[in-house]
Amino acid sequence: MSVLLALSRAIDRVNEFIGRNVAWLILASVLISAGNAIFRKAFDMSSNAWLEVQWYLYGTAFLLAAAYTLKRNEHVRIDFISNMLTKRTRDWIDLICHVIFLMPFAVLIFYLSLPWVYKSINSGEISANAGGLILWPAKIMVTIGFGLLILQTISEIIKRYAIIIGAIPDETEIHDLPPEVEEMIAGAGRVDGKGGAGK
């Protein structure tokens, strides 16, 4: 287990570094979008290349940060239902869903993207828009993004199993909220006899 946990920590460090740094691509995308809009309105000038650059940057940030989002446990979940379950049940659901759903999906997209990207690079594929950019840099982000997501899924499976067997504490649990807020969250799914929320 110690070797697996070391692997998990290494994967976490890589995705933490990437996730924190690609956030700047969103700022770049917003600035390019604003600049493009200003030039279009003020000077009646526009460029498909600049439009595509902002799409590329946004798509890259989204794809490369997906693994970081999973690591931070910030992905969308149905909290109302989740909070009605015991901690151990939630851990088992996370572990099973990572193995049965997330991992096969990520591996499938990664696998299917390989010939798609290879063909784009080999052919020198260019956007069909006038003045558009080459496409393979954007397409290869799909492969890299899902590759990182596969690695992070492996890390999450290792950590979730280690948590279930008590080898490590769960660092994603909320510890810094006031006790009354934690109690309110924990009791969100309970209803008292009068039909109000349980206290």
Side-chain angles (χ1 to χ4, degrees):
M1 179 55 70
S2 60
V3 174
L4 291 175
L5 288 172
L7 172 63
S8 174
R9 286 191 295 270
I11 293 170
D12 286 354
R13 281 194 296 270
V14 169
N15 281 322
E16 183 85 21
F17 175 80
I18 292 172
R20 287 183 180 278
N21 285 283
V22 299
W24 291 102
L25 296 181
I26 298 295
L27 176 60
S29 179
V30 169
L31 292 175
I32 289 170
S33 177
N36 204 32
I38 290 168
F39 272 89
R40 187 172 64 250
K41 296 295 184 183
F43 306 106
D44 197 26
M45 295 170 57
S46 187
S47 164
N48 284 329
W50 284 110
L51 284 173
E52 291 182 4
V53 164
Q54 74 188 48
W55 299 338
Y56 286 13
L57 291 174
Y58 181 78
T60 298
F62 179 83
L63 288 163
L64 297 188
Y68 173 68
T69 304
L70 179 62
K71 182 213 174 269
R72 300 276 299 179
N73 200 31
E74 296 291 339
H75 51 290
V76 176
R77 62 171 75 232
I78 306 173
D79 288 331
F80 178 74
I81 295 174
S82 178
N83 288 331
M84 294 172 62
L85 305 173
T86 66
K87 171 71 171 61
R88 189 167 181 81
T89 301
R90 293 198 305 270
D91 288 337
W92 274 108
I93 289 172
D94 282 347
L95 178 61
I96 292 168
C97 288
H98 280 50
V99 172
I100 294 178
F101 297 109
L102 181 56
M103 180 62 83
F105 172 75
V107 169
L108 178 64
I109 299 300
F110 177 83
Y111 173 76
L112 292 176
S113 74
L114 293 173
W116 180 64
V117 171
Y118 177 77
K119 182 179 178 182
S120 181
I121 294 172
N122 232 22
S123 64
E125 186 180 11
I126 299 175
S127 169
N129 298 316
L133 304 175
I134 56 173
L135 291 177
W136 70 261
K139 288 187 172 185
I140 202 169
M141 288 301 121
V142 175
T143 304
I144 295 171
F146 276 91
L148 293 172
L149 186 59
I150 289 168
L151 291 175
Q152 192 59 46
T153 304
I154 292 169
S155 174
E156 295 306 311
I157 289 170
I158 292 169
K159 287 185 291 188
R160 197 54 49 189
Y161 178 71
I163 289 166
I164 288 171
I165 66 173
I168 60 170
D170 188 354
E171 296 177 358
T172 63
E173 286 296 286
I174 299 171
H175 298 293
D176 55 350
L177 291 179
E180 60 273 15
V181 176
E182 289 188 0
E183 177 60 26
M184 184 176 67
I185 292 171
R190 298 196 297 269
V191 178
D192 62 23
K194 296 179 182 179
K199 296 180 180 179

